[in-house]
């Protein structure tokens, strides 16, 4: 009908799975490898929201355009400068690592986005984003974010041993992979330690930072822990460790049961392990996805090199459990292969 389609972009954004990342300093390559892993395996269209320093934007655009069209048609990318809507921008920038606090402001900046998956730059997807996106449907009527615990075992967890501020649960939360219903975050009044009544997300951020800034070590992640300490069950969906699998889950012995059963879904190479020799299993995965030539056969150019690289890591605690790292990626590649065969056969049967 005439005049009905006032927002031509709306259908595409509704079908999109929204993925946000904040990249500053030397994180360009890491971010591109993360985005590559997202595009390699996902089924539905992706909308990337890339928050980056102005100097990085041209390089991001150039590199993304170099990807083959069969992949570039699977996503659209939106770029944003680093901005902080409340408080002192210089203070926010100094919190933990440059720009890390930007993620706290996503609900405020992305006003037209309903739901979003935020990940750190050092994350790799080993299965389709579609699968974590489906977890939004598992939220109850008041839950508005999902994160994984910082640790599985309190006696070796950082928060349970060292934190000097309130934190969620027995081991705290890791915010490197965060699934959010932004609409709910924007409309919720949050309980807090500042005033007896509730505050909106935006009203709460800077006063909360001012109150706890001398006690926090991990910056914005600590602030999120404080927020969900005061708003636990009603606001937070806790997803299992295989959705945010870090060296801590294997370097002291295997302690992520979900990954042992189903394999790692999202790998989080924090502490710089993709770039040093401390955790060769993590580095192997990063390098194989980095070097994968897009149009090649996934098994031949990704899975088999990974298997052979893993043979060199068996002397490490993480390397002793290669099936944990390979299970989900193998399953995903089989599905991709089967889908292609079915599409190919279907196309041939038409003639």
């Amino acid at each position: 009908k005439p005049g009905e389609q006032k927002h031509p972009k709306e259908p595409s954004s509704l079908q999109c799975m929204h993925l946000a990342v904040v990249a500053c300093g030397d994180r360009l390559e890491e971010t591109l490898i993360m985005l590559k892993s997202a595009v390699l395996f996902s089924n539905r269209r992706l909308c990337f929201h890339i928050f980056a320093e102005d100097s990085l934007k041209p390089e991001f655009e150039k590199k993304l355009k170099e990807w083959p069209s069969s992949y570039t048609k699977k996503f659209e990318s939106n770029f944003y400068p680093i901005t902080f809507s409340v408080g002192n921008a210089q203070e926010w920038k100094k919190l933990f690592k440059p720009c890390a606090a930007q993620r706290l402001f996503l609900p405020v900046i992305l006003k037209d986005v309903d739901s979003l998956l935020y990940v750190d730059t050092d994350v790799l997807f080993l299965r389709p984003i579609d699968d974590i996106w489906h977890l939004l449907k598992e939220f109850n009527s008041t839950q508005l974010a999902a994160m994984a615990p910082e640790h599985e075992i309190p006696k070796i967890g950082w928060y349970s041993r060292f934190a000097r501020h309130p934190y969620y649960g027995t081991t705290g939360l890791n915010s490197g992979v965060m699934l959010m219903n932004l609409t709910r975050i924007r409309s919720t009044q949050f309980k807090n330690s500042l005033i007896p009544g509730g505050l909106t997300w935006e009203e709460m951020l800077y006063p909360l930072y001012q109150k706890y800034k001398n006690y926090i070590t991990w910056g914005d992640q600590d602030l999120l822990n404080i927020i969900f300490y005061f708003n636990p069950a009603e606001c937070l969906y806790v997803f299992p460790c295989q959705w945010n699998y870090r060296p801590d889950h294997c370097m002291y012995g295997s302690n992520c049961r979900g990954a042992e059963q189903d394999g790692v879904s999202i790998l989080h190479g924090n502490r710089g392990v993709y770039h040093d020799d401390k955790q060769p299993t993590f580095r192997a995965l990063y390098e194989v996805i980095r070097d994968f030539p897009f149009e090649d056969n996934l098994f031949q150019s990704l899975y088999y090199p990974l298997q052979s690289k893993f043979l060199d890591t068996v002397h490490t605690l993480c390397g002793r459990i290669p099936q944990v790292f390979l299970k989900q990626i193998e399953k995903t590649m089989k599905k991709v292969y089967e889908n292609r065969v079915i599409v190919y056969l279907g196309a041939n049967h038409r003639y």
Side-chain angles (χ1 to χ4, degrees), residues 4-18 44-45 47 76 112-114:
E4 203 171 72
Q5 204 174 0
K6 288 179 186 167
H7 307 287
K9 276 198 164 179
E10 193 172 277
S12 113
S13 82
L14 285 173
Q15 289 155 17
C16 251
M17 296 181 293
H18 295 271
R44 276 174 60 195
R45 187 170 172 75
C47 288
E76 62 183 63
D112 297 329
V113 176
D114 174 62

Side-chain angles (χ1 to χ4, degrees), residues 292-312:
F292 173 69
F294 272 102
E295 300 288 17
D296 272 28
N297 177 297
L298 279 166
F299 274 104
Q300 209 167 329
S301 302
L302 199 146
Y303 188 70
Y304 297 137
L306 201 49
Q307 278 187 315
S308 64
K309 273 193 183 232
F310 275 8
L311 291 174
D312 299 330

Side-chain angles (χ1 to χ4, degrees), residues 164-225:
R164 295 187 296 146
H165 58 77
Y167 59 89
Y168 178 89
T170 54
T171 59
L173 298 162
N174 183 283
S175 58
V177 179
M178 187 161 55
L179 189 62
M180 294 179 278
N181 183 319
L182 298 184
T183 304
R184 286 186 185 173
I185 289 175
R186 286 186 285 263
S187 62
T188 296
Q189 293 282 319
F190 290 86
K191 294 179 207 154
N192 58 85
S193 58
L194 304 163
I195 62 165
L199 287 170
T200 67
W201 186 265
E202 194 174 12
E203 288 168 343
M204 178 173 56
L205 288 178
Y206 194 59
L208 207 61
Y209 164 66
Q210 287 297 323
K211 179 170 180 177
Y212 290 104
K213 65 180 178 184
N214 296 326
Y215 304 99
I216 58 182
T217 304
W218 305 111
D220 48 307
Q221 176 171 293
D222 289 348
L223 285 178
L224 288 163
N225 266 284

Side-chain angles (χ1 to χ4, degrees), residues 120 122-123 147-152 158-159 171-177 221 239-253 255-256 259 264 266-271 273-274 279 282 318 321 324-325:
D120 285 348
D122 51 11
V123 152
M147 284 181 267
E150 170 66 20
H151 218 288
E152 300 303 298
W158 192 90
Y159 284 104
T171 59
L173 298 162
N174 183 283
S175 58
V177 179
Q221 176 171 293
F239 52 61
C241 45
Q242 66 264 33
W243 292 105
N244 185 347
Y245 190 90
R246 283 158 279 126
D248 282 1
H249 290 119
C250 52
M251 63 194 273
Y252 308 112
N255 61 47
C256 174
V264 174
I266 294 179
L267 192 76
H268 184 181
N270 61 346
R271 302 185 188 161
V273 293
Y274 296 147
Q279 297 299 335
F282 281 74
C318 293
I321 45 170
V324 163
F325 297 90

